[in-house]
């Protein structure tokens, strides 16, 4: 019943996604730059299909898509719309082919935008940039059938209730395509599950419960209580995050992720639940497959 998720890339498999830099693109004439970006987008669509095939063949139920799947899409100087690219229609067709594959094999896809997406920033330009990034990822999500675009709460800015109110207010800037997919995750420094659950209730945004973050930055809720409350925020299959500390829970920086998951860090209350658990471990597909084996062996 538990669907394990792989995040963005592979450790051992020869499946790679390509990108570029704004510096490199800026040095090119615009038609040449668009031709290069078009080629990179096509390569990434093809790589995504191969990645999904690997997941289907190896009982990995979810794949998190890299935020740069369309490289530098929202860059202020070098950004573009897909319609600007020479192969725009073919790019969309290949990504939609990925969506067809996802549906056929009952997989799940999702996005987790980069840390610069901050919906409660006091700076309007940061919020505007965040909106642009979320809209771009929702565009690709439509093609591939992704149902989650997961972000963090952002900063507290010295007034956590006001910061969360700003977050909620800025949701009005988002299209229905983003809003229908948007989720929020507790982090390991600022916002705990207890901080975010009232926001989830008020806005209808589901909580992606990260148990590692909760253990690093606890509140008054137990893991069992946070799990139950997080589950109640979802109108579709819930998604949680799991990782283990690289130097153990008594180490100097328990927030740092290990290559693998200690099966004892998998909450017992998650067992027998119909949920997606994204495995945030540096060994990538190897870690997901090892956890699946360990969970099967741990009765």
């Amino acid at each position: 019943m538990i669907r394990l998720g792989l995040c963005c890339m592979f450790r051992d498999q020869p499946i790679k996604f390509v990108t570029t830099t704004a510096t490199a693109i800026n040095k090119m004439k615009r038609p040449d730059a668009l031709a290069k970006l078009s080629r990179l987008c096509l390569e990434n669509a093809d790589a995504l299909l191969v990645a999904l095939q690997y997941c289907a063949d190896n009982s990995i139920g979810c794949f998190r898509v890299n935020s740069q799947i369309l490289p530098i899409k929202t860059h202020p100087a070098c950004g573009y719309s897909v319609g600007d690219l020479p192969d725009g229609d073919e790019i969309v067709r290949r990504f939609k082919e990925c969506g067809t594959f996802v549906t056929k094999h009952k997989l799940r896809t999702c996005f987790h935008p980069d840390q610069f997406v901050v919906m409660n920033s006091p700076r309007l330009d940061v919020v505007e940039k965040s909106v642009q990034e979320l809209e771009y990822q929702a565009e690709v999500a439509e093609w591939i059938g992704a149902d989650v675009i997961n972000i963090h709460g952002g900063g507290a800015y010295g007034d956590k209730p006001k910061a969360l109110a700003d977050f909620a207010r800025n949701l009005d800037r988002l299209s229905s395509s983003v809003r229908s997919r948007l989720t929020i995750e507790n982090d390991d420094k600022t916002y705990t599950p207890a901080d975010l659950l009232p926001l989830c209730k008020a806005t209808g945004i589901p909580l992606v419960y990260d148990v590692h973050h909760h253990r690093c930055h606890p509140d008054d809720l137990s893991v069992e209580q946070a799990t139950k409350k997080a589950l109640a925020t979802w109108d579709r299959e819930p998604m949680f995050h799991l990782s283990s500390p690289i130097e153990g829970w008594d180490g100097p920086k328990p927030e740092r992720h290990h290559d693998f998951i200690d099966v004892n860090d998998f909450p017992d209350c998650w067992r027998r639940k119909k949920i997606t658990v994204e495995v945030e471990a540096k060994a990538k597909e190897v870690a997901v497959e090892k956890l699946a084996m360990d969970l099967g062996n741990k009765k």
Side-chain angles (χ1 to χ4, degrees), residues 16-50:
K16 307 291 183 187
F17 295 92
V18 292
T19 190
T20 186
T21 64
T23 301
I25 293 298
N26 253 333
K27 292 177 180 177
M28 305 174 72
K29 293 180 180 179
R30 188 60 173 171
D32 295 335
L34 291 174
K36 176 179 179 176
L37 290 165
S38 191
R39 175 176 55 80
L40 296 179
C41 292
L42 287 171
E43 287 186 35
N44 283 344
D46 291 344
L48 180 58
L49 188 58
V50 175

Side-chain angles (χ1 to χ4, degrees), residues 220-282:
D220 291 337
L221 297 175
S222 66
V223 169
E224 292 75 17
Q225 289 170 327
T227 294
K228 183 177 180 180
K229 289 177 179 291
L231 288 172
T233 65
W234 285 85
D235 60 357
R236 52 199 185 276
E237 183 177 308
M239 179 177 288
F240 292 165
H241 286 177
L242 177 69
S243 42
S244 289
I246 192 168
E247 297 173 289
W249 290 108
D250 295 325
K253 293 184 177 181
E255 67 274 11
R256 295 174 61 215
H257 292 182
H258 200 290
D259 286 0
F260 294 94
I261 302 296
D262 181 340
V263 71
N264 294 310
D265 289 332
F266 194 100
D268 285 340
C269 61
W270 290 10
R271 311 267 304 198
R272 296 173 297 281
K273 293 279 195 301
K274 187 174 176 55
I275 58 175
T276 297
V277 178
E278 286 200 285
V279 178
E280 298 189 323
K282 294 179 181 179

Side-chain angles (χ1 to χ4, degrees), residues 1-2 4 59 261-264 266 268 271-272 287-299:
M1 295 176 70
I2 294 168
L4 296 182
S59 300
I261 302 296
D262 181 340
V263 71
N264 294 310
F266 194 100
D268 285 340
R271 311 267 304 198
R272 296 173 297 281
V288 177
E289 290 160 20
K290 181 179 185 301
L291 177 60
M293 185 178 300
D294 290 345
L295 287 171
N297 291 336
K298 183 184 178 186
K299 303 300 182 184

Side-chain angles (χ1 to χ4, degrees), residues 4-188:
L4 296 182
L6 172 62
C7 298
C8 300
M9 63 183 67
F10 295 79
R11 191 191 78 171
D12 292 352
Q13 295 301 310
I15 303 170
K16 307 291 183 187
F17 295 92
V18 292
T19 190
T20 186
T21 64
T23 301
I25 293 298
N26 253 333
K27 292 177 180 177
M28 305 174 72
K29 293 180 180 179
R30 188 60 173 171
D32 295 335
L34 291 174
K36 176 179 179 176
L37 290 165
S38 191
R39 175 176 55 80
L40 296 179
C41 292
L42 287 171
E43 287 186 35
N44 283 344
D46 291 344
L48 180 58
L49 188 58
V50 175
L52 294 169
Q53 181 70 65
Y54 181 89
C55 290
D57 291 344
N58 292 275
S59 300
I60 297 173
C62 180
F63 186 73
R64 181 192 295 176
V65 180
N66 190 309
S67 293
Q68 288 296 311
I69 194 79
L70 303 186
I72 62 172
K73 171 74 164 59
T74 61
H75 190 276
C78 306
Y80 53 92
S81 70
V82 177
D84 296 333
L85 302 178
D87 302 300
D89 289 344
E90 178 63 12
I91 289 165
V92 175
R93 189 196 69 78
R94 292 194 197 181
F95 275 107
K96 286 185 175 180
E97 186 180 349
C98 293
T100 300
F101 186 92
V102 165
T103 301
K104 179 180 178 181
H105 294 274
K106 296 181 171 59
L107 297 174
R108 193 179 194 186
T109 52
C110 62
F111 288 85
H112 193 1
D114 296 327
Q115 295 295 324
F116 68 78
V117 172
V118 182
M119 285 300 293
N120 67 348
S121 173
R123 290 177 48 187
L124 182 59
D125 62 319
V126 173
V127 175
E128 290 295 340
K129 173 67 173 172
S130 300
V131 170
Q132 291 174 22
E133 186 71 10
L134 291 170
E135 294 293 347
Y136 138 58
Q137 294 189 28
E139 181 181 18
V140 183
E142 289 275 4
W143 302 338
I144 66 173
D147 69 334
V148 168
I149 301 175
N150 180 50
I151 62 176
H152 290 281
Y157 307 109
D159 189 340
K160 197 176 285 188
K162 179 182 181 301
L164 289 175
D166 289 343
F167 182 103
R169 187 179 65 254
N170 285 331
L171 295 177
D172 291 339
R173 297 173 179 267
L174 301 172
S175 68
S176 59
S177 183
V178 178
R179 280 297 302 267
S180 64
R181 296 174 169 87
L182 195 67
T183 63
I184 192 168
E185 174 190 348
N186 60 296
D187 61 76
D188 57 9

